[in-house]
Amino acid sequence: MSAAAVADRILGLLPDRADWQAVRRAPRRDLVAGLTVAVVALPLALAFGVTSGLGAQAGLVTAVVAGAVAAVFGGSHLQVSGPTGAMTVVLVPVVQQFGPTGVLMVGALAGLLLIALALARLGRYVRYLPTPVIEGFTAGIAVVIALQQLPAALGVTDAHGDRVWAVAADAVARFVVHPRPVALAVALGVAALMLLGARFRPGVPFSLLGVAAATVLAETAPVDLVRIGALPQGLPAPSLGFLDPGAVGVLLPSALAVAALAALESLLSATVADGMTVGQRHDPDRELFGQGLANLASPLFGGIPATAAIARTAVNVRAGASSKLAAFTHAVALAAIVLAAAPLVGRIPLAALAGVLLATTVRMVEAGSLWALARATRGDALVLVLTFVVTVAWDLVTAVAVGVAVAVVIALRAVARSARLEQVPLDRGEHSAEEHALLAEHIVAYRLDGPLFFAAAHTFLLELSEVADVRVVILRMSRVSALDATGAHVLGDAVRRLRGRGITVLLSGITPDHDQVLATLGVADELRRAGLVFADTPAAIAHARDLLRGTVTT
């Protein structure tokens, strides 16, 4: 792609007049929706920042900086971006291996990769992800996030382990030896308040109320609860100190995982938002471009990689948002909270934030949808369970890869089974009874239905090789829906085997596309030279009749 083409492509991804026209439609309603989302997003941003390993400040910075940039440059009018639970799942091992500066570098690299995906117009392909894969990793993420909260919920600060489940198990073991019931009670209380409150009064921000109540309890009662700690009053100054060109090779696999997750979660969230409204449609490439810029900006201020958040986006839609102004207002409101209430935020107990995330995980999983998929087909159930297990045991990107691979194999198996080699009776046409008896005795016609590709070709070869006691075989190709190199080679092999047994093979009804594949690979060249390839089946039958009468030779 030339420099001019890249420049034109970038200009096409920037905000346009339609974005600003949407902002002017209902600004008051968008402002109210943005403030509503900010109230919900504050405890989530703090909690995800702590869970990532970079601290509550990093979570707030991400929500402010990445949220504002993605709101302006993203491809959805309704999307709200920031730190998410799925992203923290990927970041925890990065923090453990490379430290905080490694996470910032990974975020910047992921931003560049997302911009490259947008320039390559790859956003549209997320629609091809199988539903069992999406549901499986969503349920797996929920379990992983819940496991991540166990140490804070149990009041354990020194749990260790190579995997999330190992850390959770270590925290439980330490809690049994030295129980801290107050932290557990606070976490469960906040989670219960959120879940019960949302059921009876869905418009009330119970997450914020629960965190506030836990903070008041920690300040007024003689209880031992670990707090967030001091936060700076304001955003950090931008810095490029984290850049390390020499570490690109080592960090690139993690950046690929972060970019894949950001793209996947953002485009899925935008699709969900479209489905919740009438007349809203996101631009997937612009969404990737906006998320790429957001992930380039966030590390400059010490923020973690960000992506769109389905929960906050849903709140935004339900609050009446209709333009990018709502998501941008959410980021500005969070910035104001950082400037005005940093000391108060620092006094929040970590157990309260753990409760917020525990409730969030419960609401992430739709049990009815999972049960329906598990009962749909055995293949769907297998993909669902595999994706879920790999997400919990290993990581999200591996889980998606495994889930998609298994789904592809199952789909290919189903398609291959649809291919059929069916013997068909010869049309009597104008033949006399004697001629038809002669044809039926010495000629057999087979119709190939469906795809003749690598997954189905060998079955076709086995069936065709069993043909016996005939002089002429007519292969009717007009209903072959797909033909690849493997199928073409197997077809040629079958023809050679039949000819080796003295059976004459005629081909009929080859489409131009399939004819090109056969000609390119040199399949059936001998049949072409012998005049045994025909445009239609009647011509092939007429030639077969001439062969039996001895008026032509092969």
Short mmCIF file of all heavy atoms in Angstrom, two decimals, residues 104-114 247-248 251-252 255 259 295-296:
data_model
loop_
_atom_site.label_atom_id
_atom_site.label_comp_id
_atom_site.label_asym_id
_atom_site.label_seq_id
_atom_site.Cartn_x
_atom_site.Cartn_y
_atom_site.Cartn_z
N LEU A 104 3.15 -1.32 30.00
CA LEU A 104 2.98 -0.09 29.21
C LEU A 104 3.48 -0.29 27.78
O LEU A 104 2.85 0.16 26.82
CB LEU A 104 3.72 1.07 29.88
CG LEU A 104 3.32 1.39 31.32
CD1 LEU A 104 4.09 2.61 31.83
CD2 LEU A 104 1.82 1.64 31.42
N MET A 105 4.60 -0.95 27.64
CA MET A 105 5.15 -1.21 26.31
C MET A 105 4.23 -2.14 25.52
O MET A 105 3.99 -1.93 24.32
CB MET A 105 6.53 -1.85 26.46
CG MET A 105 7.28 -2.03 25.16
SD MET A 105 7.85 -0.48 24.46
CE MET A 105 8.73 -1.11 23.01
N VAL A 106 3.68 -3.14 26.19
CA VAL A 106 2.75 -4.06 25.54
C VAL A 106 1.51 -3.30 25.06
O VAL A 106 1.01 -3.52 23.95
CB VAL A 106 2.35 -5.20 26.50
CG1 VAL A 106 1.10 -5.92 26.00
CG2 VAL A 106 3.50 -6.18 26.64
N GLY A 107 1.02 -2.38 25.87
CA GLY A 107 -0.14 -1.59 25.48
C GLY A 107 0.11 -0.76 24.23
O GLY A 107 -0.73 -0.70 23.33
N ALA A 108 1.28 -0.12 24.16
CA ALA A 108 1.61 0.69 22.99
C ALA A 108 1.74 -0.18 21.74
O ALA A 108 1.25 0.19 20.66
CB ALA A 108 2.90 1.46 23.25
N LEU A 109 2.40 -1.33 21.87
CA LEU A 109 2.52 -2.23 20.71
C LEU A 109 1.15 -2.73 20.26
O LEU A 109 0.87 -2.82 19.06
CB LEU A 109 3.41 -3.42 21.07
CG LEU A 109 4.90 -3.13 21.27
CD1 LEU A 109 5.62 -4.38 21.79
CD2 LEU A 109 5.53 -2.67 19.95
N ALA A 110 0.30 -3.04 21.22
CA ALA A 110 -1.05 -3.49 20.88
C ALA A 110 -1.81 -2.39 20.14
O ALA A 110 -2.57 -2.67 19.21
CB ALA A 110 -1.81 -3.91 22.14
N GLY A 111 -1.61 -1.14 20.56
CA GLY A 111 -2.25 -0.04 19.86
C GLY A 111 -1.83 0.05 18.41
O GLY A 111 -2.67 0.25 17.52
N LEU A 112 -0.54 -0.13 18.14
CA LEU A 112 -0.06 -0.12 16.75
C LEU A 112 -0.65 -1.28 15.95
O LEU A 112 -1.02 -1.12 14.77
CB LEU A 112 1.47 -0.20 16.74
CG LEU A 112 2.22 1.02 17.30
CD1 LEU A 112 3.71 0.75 17.34
CD2 LEU A 112 1.93 2.26 16.46
N LEU A 113 -0.75 -2.45 16.59
CA LEU A 113 -1.32 -3.61 15.89
C LEU A 113 -2.80 -3.38 15.57
O LEU A 113 -3.27 -3.75 14.48
CB LEU A 113 -1.17 -4.86 16.77
CG LEU A 113 0.26 -5.37 16.94
CD1 LEU A 113 0.31 -6.46 18.01
CD2 LEU A 113 0.79 -5.93 15.61
N LEU A 114 -3.54 -2.76 16.47
CA LEU A 114 -4.95 -2.48 16.22
C LEU A 114 -5.13 -1.50 15.07
O LEU A 114 -6.03 -1.64 14.24
CB LEU A 114 -5.60 -1.93 17.50
CG LEU A 114 -5.82 -2.94 18.62
CD1 LEU A 114 -6.20 -2.23 19.91
CD2 LEU A 114 -6.92 -3.93 18.23
N ALA A 247 13.16 -4.51 23.64
CA ALA A 247 12.26 -5.51 24.24
C ALA A 247 11.09 -5.85 23.33
O ALA A 247 10.23 -6.66 23.72
CB ALA A 247 11.73 -4.99 25.57
N VAL A 248 11.04 -5.27 22.14
CA VAL A 248 9.89 -5.50 21.25
C VAL A 248 9.73 -6.97 20.93
O VAL A 248 8.62 -7.53 20.98
CB VAL A 248 10.05 -4.67 19.95
CG1 VAL A 248 8.99 -5.08 18.93
CG2 VAL A 248 9.95 -3.19 20.25
N LEU A 251 8.30 -8.86 23.90
CA LEU A 251 6.96 -8.45 24.30
C LEU A 251 5.91 -8.64 23.21
O LEU A 251 4.71 -8.54 23.48
CB LEU A 251 6.97 -6.98 24.73
CG LEU A 251 7.81 -6.63 25.96
CD1 LEU A 251 7.83 -5.13 26.18
CD2 LEU A 251 7.25 -7.34 27.20
N LEU A 252 6.35 -8.89 21.98
CA LEU A 252 5.41 -8.96 20.87
C LEU A 252 4.34 -10.04 21.05
O LEU A 252 3.16 -9.78 20.74
CB LEU A 252 6.16 -9.18 19.56
CG LEU A 252 5.32 -9.06 18.28
CD1 LEU A 252 4.65 -7.69 18.21
CD2 LEU A 252 6.17 -9.31 17.05
N ALA A 255 1.79 -8.59 23.23
CA ALA A 255 1.08 -7.52 22.53
C ALA A 255 0.06 -8.08 21.55
O ALA A 255 -1.04 -7.53 21.40
CB ALA A 255 2.09 -6.63 21.81
N ALA A 259 -3.82 -7.21 21.70
CA ALA A 259 -4.49 -6.64 20.53
C ALA A 259 -5.66 -7.52 20.09
O ALA A 259 -6.75 -7.02 19.75
CB ALA A 259 -3.50 -6.47 19.39
N ASN A 295 -5.11 2.86 23.01
CA ASN A 295 -4.05 2.07 23.63
C ASN A 295 -2.66 2.66 23.40
O ASN A 295 -1.71 2.29 24.09
CB ASN A 295 -4.11 0.63 23.12
CG ASN A 295 -5.17 -0.18 23.84
OD1 ASN A 295 -4.98 -0.60 24.97
ND2 ASN A 295 -6.30 -0.39 23.19
N LEU A 296 -2.52 3.55 22.43
CA LEU A 296 -1.28 4.31 22.30
C LEU A 296 -1.22 5.44 23.32
O LEU A 296 -0.15 5.75 23.86
CB LEU A 296 -1.17 4.90 20.89
CG LEU A 296 -0.72 3.97 19.78
CD1 LEU A 296 -0.74 4.71 18.43
CD2 LEU A 296 0.70 3.45 20.04
#
